[in-house]
Structure formats: C-alpha cells, structure tokens
C-alpha cells in the first residue's frame, strides 16, 4: 500500500507558521550525524547499534537481541546485523543513481535501465523528489510493505515523480533541477503513547478515526518535524490534519492515536551528481572497449 510521506501546505500550528513546506528527510545518527557515500552524496541514518532490541510492531521488553531483518522480525547475531547495515548504507548512492536512471528514461521514452548491482533484499522504502535550490517538495510516495529493492525503487521512482496527487507530474524540462532522496525504513516499534518517540530520530505513522468514524493513517519521515521547527505535539496535530482529521484536536484525540515509530537510512543525490556518474561510466566503458580492441 502506497503512502505519501509529508504535507505540502504551510500549516498554522499554535498561532505560528513553519518556515517552509513540509518535506521528507532522514533521522539523524543517535551519536551525531554520519555521512557516507562519495562525490558529495549525502547519506545519513540512525545508529541502530544503540538499540538492543528492534522489533516490527512490538515493544522493547528485554530478552535476547531481536532486529528487524528485511522488513521482518528475526533472530540474528550482531555481526550479521552490522553487515546488513553496511551493505545498505554503502549501496545507497547507487540506489539514488538508479532512481534518476529510471525517471530519465521514462521521461525520454527510452527502455528501462538494466538491473542494478546493489542488494535486492526487501525493505519498506520511500522515494522523494525535490526541485530547485530551495529544494521544494515535488513528489514523495513509498510503502510500508517490504519490497525487493530493485522493483520497489523502480516503481516508486516513477510513482512519486508522476503520480503524487498533490502535484502535477514532473516534466522533462524540470529534471535538471531535481534532487532525489531514497529512504530505507527499519526498526518499526509500537509506541506506548503519542509522545513515545524522539524528534529527529524517529519517523512516525499514526492510525486514527476521523470525527465521522473513518479510519485513516498518515506518516512523517524522521526529519520533517525538526526541519519545520515543531515539537512533538505540533507534529502530531499536523499529521492529524494531513490525514484528514477536521474536528477539534484535544488531549483525548491525541491519546486515542495508535502510533508506530521507525528509523531510516537515507541518501540524497542531485541531477548534476547523477550526470557526473553517467559520464564516468561512459568514459570507463570507452576505455575498456579500446583496451579490448
């Protein structure tokens, strides 16, 4: 099931307006932000080594170490968990490159790119497109269901760019001003209350009933609240409005929410960085062809 990750309009909260439109970003490292990748690609994520137990839709209740493995609960040793983390983080610039390849070829009526070389394990994921120097949100859609990364990124690179109902489809003329972000979600936990999460560390997904009794869900990726300058209560209120709640928001309304928190690994890439990689690949293949001749 697809889900959009963030709001697009400035929302009035407690008499003030946020400084900019809401958009997706990543959680920060618990011990400070870590950066990886190359060529200036910006990759950040959460340090899950701080968590002795990370379960899917469950609480930390002690016992043996349990980690989220490819979107599922599983007993794994600490070394295997670290290897998975390194594999995903190290591959994220290639994931961003692949999303640009998919969109570029779609907009230019070219055949799909060949299958990428990075891991094809299943994860929940989001793809975000922003435009311009101020990085305005242009599209953001993903899924909380674990999908194989190759097909999942291919699907949501297109869906978020062309089928986000909040925006008109991205055009060929806009692609040179785009930045793409890939978010790999993990560490899902049921919260014990609507404040049982940490600003800048957790993304949140809420389930609630509208004033008319309809069940709704809505989510913000980990860095949305801090980028907007919201506290936890303001974030919850914004998310309720985003999800379609139109009645008065009271303490009882907030307490009735079912909240799931999660963490993410994320990487950003500009169109210029994508073209640099294309040029380097072309140069490499040309040199290889000459050597073989």
């Amino acid at each position: 099931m697809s889900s959009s990750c963030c709001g697009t309009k400035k929302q009035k909260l407690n008499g003030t307006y946020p400084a900019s439109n809401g958009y997706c970003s990543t959680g920060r490292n618990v011990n400070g932000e870590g950066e990886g990748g190359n060529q200036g690609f910006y990759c950040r994520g959460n340090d899950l080594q701080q968590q002795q137990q990370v379960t899917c839709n469950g609480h930390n209740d002690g016992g043996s170490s349990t980690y989220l493995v490819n979107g599922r609960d599983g007993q794994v040793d600490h070394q295997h968990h670290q290897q998975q983390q390194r594999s995903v983080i190290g591959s994220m610039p290639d994931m961003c490159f692949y999303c640009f390849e998919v969109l570029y070829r779609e907009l230019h009526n070219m055949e799909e790119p060949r299958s990428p070389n990075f891991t094809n394990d299943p994860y929940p994921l989001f793809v975000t497109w922003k435009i311009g120097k101020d990085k305005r949100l242009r599209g953001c859609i993903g899924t909380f269901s674990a999908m194989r990364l190759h097909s999942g990124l291919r699907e949501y690179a297109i869906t978020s760019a062309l089928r986000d109902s909040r925006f008109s489809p991205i055009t060929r003329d806009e692609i040179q001003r785009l930045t793409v972000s890939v978010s790999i979600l993990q560490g899902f936990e049921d919260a014990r209350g609507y404040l049982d999460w940490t600003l800048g560390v957790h993304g949140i997904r809420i389930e609630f009933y509208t004033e008319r009794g309809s069940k709704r869900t809505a989510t913000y990726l980990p860095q949305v609240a801090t980028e907007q300058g919201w506290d936890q209560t303001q974030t919850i209120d914004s998310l309720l409005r985003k999800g379609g709640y139109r009645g008065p928001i009271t303490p009882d309304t907030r307490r009735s929410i079912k909240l799931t928190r999660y963490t993410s690994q994320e990487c950003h890439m500009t169109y210029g960085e994508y073209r640099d990689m294309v040029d380097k690949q072309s140069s490499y293949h040309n040199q290889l062809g000459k050597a073989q001749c």
Side-chain angles (χ1 to χ4, degrees):
M1 180 178 179
S2 299
S3 177
S4 63
C5 63
C6 35
T8 61
K9 296 181 180 179
K10 296 181 180 180
Q11 301 180 33
K12 190 173 183 180
L13 300 174
N14 294 341
T16 61
Y17 286 90
S20 61
N21 291 342
Y23 50 83
C24 317
S25 188
T26 181
R28 58 179 171 80
N29 188 301
V30 174
N31 293 323
E33 292 180 354
E35 300 183 15
N38 50 35
Q39 299 187 45
F41 308 137
Y42 185 33
C43 301
R44 296 189 295 182
N46 300 101
D47 185 358
L48 296 186
Q49 297 176 27
Q50 298 295 315
Q51 302 179 13
Q52 289 302 307
Q53 191 176 54
V54 182
T55 60
C56 183
N57 298 329
H59 298 301
N60 290 347
D61 295 322
S64 59
S65 296
T66 305
Y67 296 95
L68 182 72
V69 183
N70 299 338
R72 302 182 298 273
D73 282 345
Q75 297 291 330
V76 296
D77 58 45
H78 190 60
Q79 183 178 4
H80 183 214
H81 172 68
Q82 288 180 313
Q83 289 174 344
Q84 279 193 313
Q85 292 291 92
R86 286 194 294 268
S87 175
V88 171
I89 294 172
S91 299
M92 293 199 74
D94 292 332
M95 296 181 196
C96 290
F97 176 86
Y98 183 62
C99 288
F100 257 121
E101 275 281 272
V102 169
L103 180 60
Y104 184 91
R105 289 170 177 266
E106 175 73 16
L107 293 177
H108 290 81
N109 299 315
M110 300 166 65
E111 64 181 16
E112 292 184 356
R114 62 185 180 184
S115 296
N117 294 324
F118 53 77
T119 178
N120 197 28
D121 290 338
Y123 286 94
L125 59 91
F126 276 79
V127 177
T128 304
W129 296 100
K130 300 174 188 175
I131 192 166
K133 293 182 179 179
D134 57 348
K135 292 183 170 56
R136 291 177 290 108
L137 181 66
R138 196 61 182 82
C140 178
I141 298 180
T143 177
F144 284 93
S145 300
M147 291 188 68
R148 294 285 179 183
L149 286 176
H150 294 182
S151 59
L153 291 173
R154 183 170 62 247
E155 176 179 341
Y156 284 101
I158 296 297
T159 301
S160 60
L162 306 181
R163 303 187 184 100
D164 189 327
S165 61
R166 299 167 295 176
F167 305 97
S168 60
I170 289 175
T171 65
R172 188 185 302 185
D173 294 336
E174 293 177 293
I175 195 167
Q176 294 185 10
R177 297 187 290 135
L178 293 177
T179 297
V180 68
S181 300
V182 171
S183 299
I184 304 300
L185 311 186
Q186 53 201 354
F188 289 86
E189 301 175 298
D190 279 348
R192 293 181 172 88
Y194 74 93
L195 297 178
D196 185 23
W197 56 283
T198 303
L199 285 165
V201 174
H202 294 113
I204 57 173
R205 180 176 186 264
I206 63 171
E207 297 180 16
F208 63 94
Y209 288 90
T210 67
E211 65 279 9
R212 296 185 177 182
S214 300
K215 186 177 181 179
R216 298 287 182 85
T217 62
T219 190
Y220 278 145
L221 293 181
Q223 207 68 359
V224 172
T226 53
E227 288 178 345
Q228 298 303 316
W230 296 337
D231 61 24
Q232 287 178 296
T233 300
Q234 289 176 317
T235 304
I236 293 296
D237 291 356
S238 170
L239 202 47
L240 281 165
R241 295 302 187 205
K242 177 200 167 189
Y245 190 84
R246 298 292 176 258
I249 299 175
T250 66
D252 286 341
T253 305
R254 300 183 188 106
R255 283 192 290 267
S256 70
I257 291 169
K258 178 183 178 182
L259 187 145
T260 302
R261 65 190 187 190
Y262 57 88
T263 57
S264 73
Q265 302 287 348
E266 184 174 273
C267 192
H268 310 268
M269 179 181 287
T270 66
Y271 177 80
E273 291 164 341
Y274 159 69
R275 291 307 307 178
D276 285 344
M277 287 187 69
V278 171
D279 293 342
K280 288 183 178 181
Q281 287 185 2
S282 298
S283 176
Y284 170 77
H285 289 304
N286 288 338
Q287 291 176 0
L288 184 63
K290 291 178 181 179
Q292 290 175 339
C293 292

